[in-house]
Amino acid sequence: QLQLQESGPGLVKPSETVSLTCTVSGGSITSSSYYWGWIRQSPGKGLEWLGSLSYGGTNFYNPSLKSRVTISGDTSRNQFSLKLSSVTAADTAVYFCARLILQHLAHDHWGHGTLVTVTS
Amino acid sequence: QSVLTQPPSVSAAPGQKVTISCSGSSSNIGDNYVSWYQHLPGTAPKLLIYEDDKRPSGIPDRFSGSKSGTSATLGITGLQTGDEADYYCGTWDSGLSAGQVFGTGTKVTVL
């Protein structure tokens, strides 16, 4: 059964870069049928897509965050990562990693999320 | 921030039915499949509906989806206390907000 698990620092200082990792088990991130992405939920707000990684294809990023977001993969560890630069308090959120089924354009498996708090 | 609009909350008694609307535009709902997600705080969001009206394996038929033009609807019949959660619609936007977009979210309360 496919499982995704986020990991990363719980606290980050303003202006720094936060790095999060999603470890995938039960499936390979190199499959061409899926994209692997990051979605966040700020306190009291809804879901916001950050971007998606595609092996052998094009990565997609949220246009409003594109200049600060980088998503990359490590096939040897079956992981993919998010880097978000120049963070501010507005980036405080629970960050989820998820698998997108390309054929259905739906995220069918999600991690439980990891809280990132931006504070000095 | 979200380009998809949902009602903030809906409620009904156990056993009753609720519907949640998701309003978008021709560049998102009008042009792409809609999916629906259930999210209980502190847990992983769960896919309920994909391709407008299809249910993944394991999702009961109490949950249904439909789409017409630039709007989509999620229906929940036989409401149960375990259905109390936040629900989000999602789709792709082919316009200026190109990429995955989610709705504003709807809190379902079982009275």
Side-chain angles (χ1 to χ4, degrees):
Chain A
Q1 183 173 350
L2 187 76
Q3 291 187 324
L4 295 86
Q5 178 66 57
E6 306 88 348
S7 60
L11 296 176
V12 184
K13 289 182 168 55
S15 80
E16 292 187 343
T17 294
V18 60
S19 297
L20 301 176
T21 296
C22 182
T23 301
V24 179
S25 58
S28 172
I29 65 171
T30 61
S31 173
S32 60
S33 299
Y34 308 109
Y35 278 41
W36 305 88
W38 289 93
I39 296 146
R40 70 182 181 181
Q41 182 177 34
S42 300
K45 297 193 176 181
L47 301 174
E48 179 181 31
W49 172 74
L50 302 180
S52 298
L53 169 73
S54 162
Y55 269 90
T58 304
N59 288 5
F60 293 93
Y61 295 114
N62 185 321
S64 67
L65 296 166
K66 187 174 182 177
S67 63
R68 298 198 293 130
V69 172
T70 301
I71 299 175
S72 59
D74 183 341
T75 56
S76 65
R77 299 184 178 186
N78 214 36
Q79 297 174 332
F80 63 101
S81 299
L82 167 74
K83 290 188 187 299
L84 179 64
S85 64
S86 304
V87 297
T88 69
D91 294 309
T92 293
V94 175
Y95 287 75
F96 299 95
C97 59
R99 185 180 81 170
L100 175 79
I101 304 180
L102 196 57
Q103 178 184 3
H104 303 319
L105 291 181
H107 292 90
D108 67 332
H109 283 83
W110 298 63
H112 282 76
T114 186
L115 175 63
V116 174
T117 302
V118 180
T119 180
S120 55
Chain B
Q1 184 176 18
S2 175
V3 298
L4 305 179
T5 302
Q6 300 178 231
S9 64
V10 297
S11 62
Q16 297 300 304
K17 174 181 179 178
V18 296
T19 60
I20 301 171
S21 61
C22 175
S23 178
S25 69
S26 58
S27 67
N28 42 66
I29 292 178
D31 199 34
N32 294 288
Y33 287 131
V34 175
S35 52
W36 288 90
Y37 304 88
Q38 179 191 62
H39 185 214
L40 284 77
T43 69
K46 178 192 293 185
L47 176 65
L48 295 177
I49 298 289
Y50 67 95
E51 287 187 1
D52 302 339
D53 57 8
K54 296 179 176 59
R55 285 177 285 106
S57 174
I59 300 301
D61 59 6
R62 300 188 299 106
F63 295 91
S64 64
S66 63
K67 188 176 83 172
S68 178
T70 60
S71 294
T73 301
L74 173 71
I76 310 174
T77 59
L79 204 60
Q80 301 175 1
T81 55
D83 298 331
E84 194 161 281
D86 297 318
Y87 293 80
Y88 295 89
C89 57
T91 186
W92 281 78
D93 194 294
S94 309
L96 294 178
S97 303
Q100 171 82 47
V101 289
F102 291 100
T104 49
T106 299
K107 169 68 175 179
V108 170
T109 300
V110 182
L111 301 173

